[in-house]
Amino acid sequence: MRITNWLKESHRWQHLAGGILVGLLSLGCWYAALLAGVGIASALEYKDKLWGGEWDWTDWVITIIGAAGGFGISLIIKTFLL
């Protein structure tokens, strides 16, 4: 229950889900997942800052963790199912 409440705070679940999608779409290329994850996380936080918000390092890290997790899922699928 605490984790779900924490993920709902500041739309962190959307950062995680978006990161996972980026990692899945990296097509098994770790550096593509890393670069896209960092780029998208940075762009999202920069957008928040431009709109008067604060840069949230937690959201930034969650997005990159999601990208790494999505890459891991794609690697597992590629290794065991294809």
Side-chain angles (χ1 to χ4, degrees), residues 24-38:
L24 285 171
L25 295 175
S26 69
L27 303 175
C29 185
W30 67 268
Y31 53 87
L34 177 66
L35 289 174
V38 168

Side-chain angles (χ1 to χ4, degrees), residues 9-10 12 15 45 48 56-64:
E9 182 180 319
S10 181
R12 288 189 176 120
H15 286 269
E45 292 309 311
D48 287 346
D56 188 350
W57 285 104
T58 305
D59 287 350
W60 189 81
V61 170
I62 292 284
T63 307
I64 295 170

Side-chain angles (χ1 to χ4, degrees), residues 24 26-28 71-82:
L24 285 171
S26 69
L27 303 175
F71 170 73
I73 292 167
S74 72
L75 193 62
I76 289 170
I77 291 170
K78 184 178 177 182
T79 302
F80 294 110
L81 299 178
L82 299 178

Side-chain angles (χ1 to χ4, degrees), residues 40-55:
I40 289 172
S42 298
L44 288 170
E45 292 309 311
Y46 183 65
K47 181 254 324 164
D48 287 346
K49 190 159 178 71
L50 286 177
W51 282 89
E54 295 290 322
W55 185 284

